[in-house]
Amino acid sequence: MKLALAPDRCSGCRACELVCALDNWSALNPKKAALRVHGHFPTPGRYTVSICDQCGTCAEVCPTNAIQQNEHGAWLINGEDCIGCNICVQECPQGVMYLHDDNGMVPIKCTLCGKCMEFCPTGALYDADGTIPTRR
Amino acid sequence: MIPGYGGNILRIDLTGKKASASPVPEQWKREYLGGRGFIARAFWDEIKPGTDPLGPENKVLMAPGPYTGQFLSSSGKLHMGALSPATGGYGDSNMGGHFSLELKQAGIDLLILEGAAETPVTVVIEDGKVTYRDASAYWNETTFETETRLKQELGEAWQIMVIGPAAANGVVFACIQHDFGRQAGRTGVGTVMASKKVKAVAVKGTKDVKLHDARRTLAAGEKMMDQVMKQPGFTAWQPYGTPEVVPWASSQGVMPTRNFQTGVIEGFQNLDGPTMKAKVTEIDKGCTSCAIPCGKWGKGVLNGKEKPQEGPEYESIALLGSNLGITDIQAVAYLNGVCDELGLDSISAGNVVAWSMECYEKGFLSEEELGRPMRFGDAEAAVAMFHDIAYGRGFGRILGQGVRAAATHVGLGTERFAMHVKGLEISGYEARYAPAMMLSYLTCDIGGNHSRSWAVTFDVATGRENFDGKAERVIWLQHVRPLFDALGCCRFPWVEAGLDPESYVGFIEPITGMSFTWDELLKVSERVWNLTRMISCRHIPGFGRAFDNPPPRWVEEGQETGPTAGKHFTREQVDDLLNRYYKLRGWTEDGIPTPGKLEELGLGFCAEAACK
């Protein structure tokens, strides 16, 4: 499973943000999603999406090795080892690690659960490995 | 506290710049659900008889619902209400986009704007905390300019609603715009916001919306998203949105043309979905969690000038296209962009300008009086008149008071073709020989609007001449369609894609913990329908059957062309339709809910306010 992006297809519906937060945090709260849709209106009249490509920069800069890669290729934060320094948030090249008051010092990060790809109605988010079928 | 809600009523007094929060009564959630239900219930308590629609005692009410922002397709709706400056009675409108969830995440289920600021302000709400910004410098700016400005000042994560110059200058059909093209268009809610000197409301919310059972809410949402995208109707509607209706409406002769003189225009093919997709649409633009989406973003073009805009959707194509005698989709999109940036309801704006064109062509109004020749088909003349309306110049100032007031001002029999019900301009269906659709317009609680009961397909399916079953169908639709407005989501997954509406029952328990059957949900809708009728009774002197009358054109003239050319019903036949409707509703012969009916619905508190 590899999260990929075709931003020209994005309609800005943010179903990805909703399902991400609901699946990972059992919350109706797109502020807890690990990706973001950005609208650029009235000009140029387009959406862009910030997603995690599991580049591993967060793990490289983490001073406590709190971020480890699992067997599916996702870098996951071990909350017990995280000291809340936020260096990973600052250094994330895509800007997709987020802080939320409810989660204390531990950032929110993509777990590669696949829900955003599964439910993106337009195929703007898709699985580059083809494991998850694209909607259209 | 029942979950699925933001939790609070936030009351903002613009006069004293004070804000206070209180919990939403739990009983309201069970009896009114949210959204339109909360609006109607709060309207009764908050807006007293004798209120001037543009006085500080009127209030702007805004409410998401329990389904708002949920991971189910098309959950971005926000409902708004106010005493309407267009009709003098119950007014409401709703818009899509992303504002509604943000408001709910700020902890708000009902926002009340009351009083009036001395100078223009932008109201800023962050997780329930309210601050005010001076908006004097941009009070008369276009909607696009102000939303762009506030996005730059506050940040892109904020959701913003704005009014344009039309509202600032007292046009009674001014809308509230959000997300560069989503409108709460009808009944002048933007005009009321302007009377409070509020240019914009910006909101940011970061809180969780509590769910009764998050895992089952997710599972229900996954199933629903999946089902929507597998519906045959999804495949047909998705590429075009509501312009898909254009060829059908034209072939049935129900597409308003040249101020409702007829119901089909030569060249309607140039206004259809595929033409729009080829010539206007650049990308899809969706509301919260919408799998469809009907929103299309692109450019309008008129004589080489370009205007970025969202849409046009069917209603705007009907009122700014065929009803103005225009069949160039790029020009219609341009006109739509003009209405949006000025903050004009495109339905009412198209309707009043069409009336002015008929007045000009028939010699009731001169070039001098109108400021220019107003001929059907002249898009440049329409652009100029929209600006005159929005900035209160020349005859535009008269048209900005709505078609009923304009026709009363001009007289000379022009009232006969002033196409409104209760003072609200009729929207995109030429319904003189479509009894269920006509009855829908006549009895719609805000005036001449289609959204409460879109019954024209039923007329075509069951016989245009036939009255049997029509009142029953209209009542059913008036309960099912506004139910979505109370739940806080869009009905297009049902109306467009073809999902079973009863499937929406399945979300209420996982989200809120409350149990409802489908019939119990419809009972809520019936309660709200009777309440909004009583609100208009309370505010409009002599309200009753006389306010459910069709415009004379619909009962005196046949359409010029089309499959029902020459045909119309008589006043007596329309009275028969209304009689059937009132009887089924348990209302008096004058169209007033009886005390017994009100008691049955738990509305005993408004029985004493029956029309005087």
Side-chain angles (χ1 to χ4, degrees):
Chain A
M1 195 183 347
K2 182 171 169 44
L3 176 58
L5 181 64
D8 290 350
R9 300 186 66 87
C10 180
S11 72
C13 77
R14 301 164 67 211
C16 52
E17 294 180 8
L18 290 170
V19 74
C20 175
L22 200 48
D23 190 55
N24 286 282
W25 302 94
S26 290
L28 170 52
N29 189 347
K31 305 291 191 299
K32 292 184 177 174
L35 77 176
R36 285 292 184 280
V37 176
H38 316 277
H40 308 279
F41 293 91
T43 51
R46 295 287 181 275
Y47 292 99
T48 55
V49 190
S50 301
I51 56 167
C52 173
D53 59 3
Q54 308 296 340
C55 70
T57 302
C58 50
E60 283 173 27
V61 300
C62 178
T64 62
N65 287 325
I67 304 176
Q68 299 290 329
Q69 195 167 31
N70 71 4
E71 68 274 23
H72 304 298
W75 293 93
L76 302 180
I77 302 172
N78 181 344
E80 289 181 8
D81 295 337
C82 174
I83 56 171
C85 67
N86 292 333
I87 293 174
C88 57
V89 176
Q90 291 158 22
E91 297 297 323
C92 172
Q94 307 301 327
V96 286
M97 296 184 70
Y98 301 97
L99 296 170
H100 192 284
D101 287 346
D102 291 352
N103 206 37
M105 301 180 301
V106 183
I108 292 166
K109 186 195 170 299
C110 173
T111 60
L112 205 54
C113 71
K115 288 290 182 190
C116 57
M117 297 180 257
E118 188 181 351
F119 288 99
C120 175
T122 67
L125 297 169
Y126 65 97
D127 179 10
D129 289 342
T131 315
I132 299 173
T134 304
R135 294 281 172 178
R136 61 179 164 89
Chain B
M1 192 180 85
I2 295 169
Y5 292 84
N8 287 318
I9 297 171
L10 182 67
R11 181 184 301 275
I12 299 178
D13 169 22
L14 277 311
T15 307
K17 301 264 174 63
K18 285 183 194 143
S20 59
S22 59
V24 173
E26 296 287 89
Q27 196 182 347
W28 282 20
K29 297 175 184 174
R30 294 190 188 90
E31 294 183 355
Y32 298 94
L33 294 170
R36 168 175 149 89
F38 283 4
I39 297 290
R41 185 64 188 84
F43 199 123
W44 184 266
D45 285 351
E46 297 281 337
I47 305 174
K48 299 300 181 192
T51 292
D52 171 3
L54 298 181
E57 63 275 23
N58 197 4
K59 305 187 183 189
V60 179
L61 311 169
M62 305 184 190
Y67 288 13
T68 296
Q70 302 289 351
F71 176 61
L72 57 90
S73 184
S74 322
S75 65
K77 287 287 190 179
L78 180 68
H79 214 75
M80 304 193 207
L83 186 66
S84 169
T87 70
Y90 175 78
D92 75 11
S93 194
N94 78 55
M95 71 179 192
H98 302 276
F99 193 99
S100 200
L101 171 58
E102 205 73 30
L103 197 63
K104 198 161 145 174
Q105 285 199 260
I108 300 161
D109 296 315
L110 175 64
L111 178 65
I112 302 174
L113 300 179
E114 62 183 31
E118 277 190 30
T119 54
V121 292
T122 288
V123 176
V124 179
I125 304 168
E126 185 167 16
D127 278 337
K129 183 174 174 291
V130 182
T131 54
Y132 309 88
R133 292 181 171 221
D134 182 10
S136 306
Y138 51 91
W139 177 239
N140 239 333
E141 257 184 5
T142 67
T143 57
F144 282 13
E145 287 168 337
T146 297
E147 192 168 358
T148 302
R149 165 198 292 277
L150 291 173
K151 284 269 182 189
Q152 284 169 355
E153 283 182 16
L154 293 163
E156 70 154 342
W158 288 75
Q159 300 297 338
I160 293 159
M161 63 167 72
V162 299
I163 56 165
N169 294 305
V171 175
V172 300
F173 46 86
C175 55
I176 298 174
Q177 179 172 276
H178 156 63
D179 199 22
F180 302 96
R182 287 282 156 184
Q183 323 286 346
R186 308 242 65 194
T187 73
V189 287
T191 321
V192 180
M193 191 159 126
S195 74
K196 309 200 166 300
K197 285 277 191 285
V198 175
K199 175 68 177 176
V201 181
V203 64
K204 189 162 97 173
T206 63
K207 301 174 190 176
D208 284 3
V209 175
K210 289 196 171 52
L211 299 169
H212 173 66
D213 186 332
R215 299 320 296 178
R216 285 201 294 123
T217 300
L218 172 61
E222 288 183 344
K223 186 177 161 195
M224 191 265 209
M225 293 289 277
D226 199 52
Q227 282 178 339
V228 169
M229 289 186 266
K230 286 177 179 163
Q231 294 293 315
F234 176 84
T235 312
W237 280 88
Q238 194 287 322
Y240 313 119
T242 58
E244 169 76 5
V245 175
V246 169
W248 180 86
S250 303
S251 68
Q252 300 301 333
V254 296
M255 191 152 171
T257 299
R258 292 185 289 275
N259 196 34
F260 293 81
Q261 295 185 73
T262 190
V264 57
I265 191 164
E266 200 173 318
F268 68 83
Q269 297 86 349
N270 299 325
L271 298 172
D272 69 7
T275 309
M276 183 171 121
K277 191 172 175 62
K279 292 190 168 181
V280 175
T281 303
E282 293 170 356
I283 61 163
D284 286 358
K285 185 164 177 285
C287 302
T288 308
S289 199
C290 184
I292 299 176
C294 72
K296 311 294 175 190
W297 178 266
K299 280 192 182 67
V301 185
L302 181 62
N303 294 330
K305 296 168 290 188
E306 290 189 346
K307 198 167 286 294
Q309 53 86 53
E310 179 171 341
E313 41 68 62
Y314 170 78
E315 296 296 328
S316 299
I317 292 175
L319 274 301
L320 302 177
S322 53
N323 205 43
L324 296 181
I326 297 168
T327 53
D328 171 358
I329 191 67
Q330 289 179 312
V332 174
Y334 188 92
L335 293 175
N336 187 52
V338 170
C339 286
D340 284 2
E341 67 185 5
L342 296 173
L344 290 167
D345 170 24
S346 58
I347 294 173
S348 288
N351 185 307
V352 297
V353 168
W355 173 85
S356 77
M357 287 174 165
E358 186 167 353
C359 283
Y360 174 77
E361 293 204 344
K362 292 191 170 162
F364 294 110
L365 287 168
S366 67
E367 180 177 341
E368 290 69 33
E369 287 167 298
L370 289 163
R372 65 193 59 80
M374 293 297 296
R375 295 188 181 89
F376 285 113
D378 187 345
E380 291 283 7
V383 170
M385 191 58 94
F386 289 152
H387 282 84
D388 284 353
I389 292 171
Y391 292 101
R393 298 186 300 232
F395 200 78
R397 181 174 288 280
I398 306 293
L399 291 179
Q401 296 310 299
V403 78
R404 178 172 66 180
T408 302
H409 175 83
V410 172
L412 307 172
T414 61
E415 303 93 329
R416 289 183 50 260
F417 53 86
M419 302 304 291
H420 71 90
V421 178
K422 298 181 179 64
L424 189 72
E425 290 75 18
I426 294 170
S427 58
Y429 296 92
E430 186 358 87
R432 87 188 71 185
Y433 204 67
M437 194 65 226
M438 192 198 295
L439 186 62
S440 303
Y441 276 125
L442 304 187
T443 59
C444 174
D445 56 4
I446 61 168
N449 203 39
H450 58 285
S451 68
R452 299 284 139 79
S453 165
W454 189 63
V456 65
T457 50
F458 186 74
D459 282 317
V460 170
T462 60
R464 300 281 284 268
E465 72 295 339
N466 178 25
F467 279 24
D468 291 338
K470 298 292 170 84
E472 287 86 345
R473 179 68 176 189
V474 169
I475 290 170
W476 182 79
L477 285 167
Q478 285 175 340
H479 292 170
V480 178
R481 291 173 64 94
L483 175 61
F484 290 79
D485 301 333
L487 292 167
C489 61
C490 178
R491 57 189 151 257
F492 276 8
W494 158 47
V495 177
E496 284 194 350
L499 212 62
D500 179 359
E502 296 190 31
S503 67
Y504 281 77
V505 178
F507 296 102
I508 195 89
E509 195 274 333
I511 290 171
T512 70
M514 296 190 288
S515 294
F516 280 89
T517 64
W518 175 246
D519 288 341
E520 287 167 341
L521 288 175
L522 294 189
K523 204 70 183 171
V524 172
S525 259
E526 187 184 5
R527 178 175 300 126
V528 175
W529 195 265
N530 280 264
L531 179 53
T532 59
R533 186 79 177 179
M534 291 308 294
I535 289 170
S536 285
C537 273
R538 199 186 198 192
H539 286 275
I540 300 176
F543 186 80
R545 179 188 284 262
F547 287 77
D548 295 341
N549 274 335
R553 164 158 284 163
W554 272 0
V555 286
E556 293 174 1
E557 300 171 22
Q559 284 178 204
E560 291 171 349
T561 54
T564 60
K567 293 185 175 174
H568 67 85
F569 298 116
T570 63
R571 275 189 193 282
E572 291 71 27
Q573 285 175 301
V574 174
D575 270 337
D576 175 35
L577 262 181
L578 287 171
N579 288 342
R580 294 177 188 216
Y581 175 90
Y582 295 156
K583 192 172 176 195
L584 285 164
R585 278 229 170 266
W587 293 358
T588 68
E589 286 183 2
D590 196 35
I592 308 301
T594 60
K597 187 69 190 176
L598 295 172
E599 284 294 339
E600 174 203 318
L601 293 167
L603 296 171
F605 60 88
C606 51
E608 65 198 41
C611 296
K612 302 284 189 295

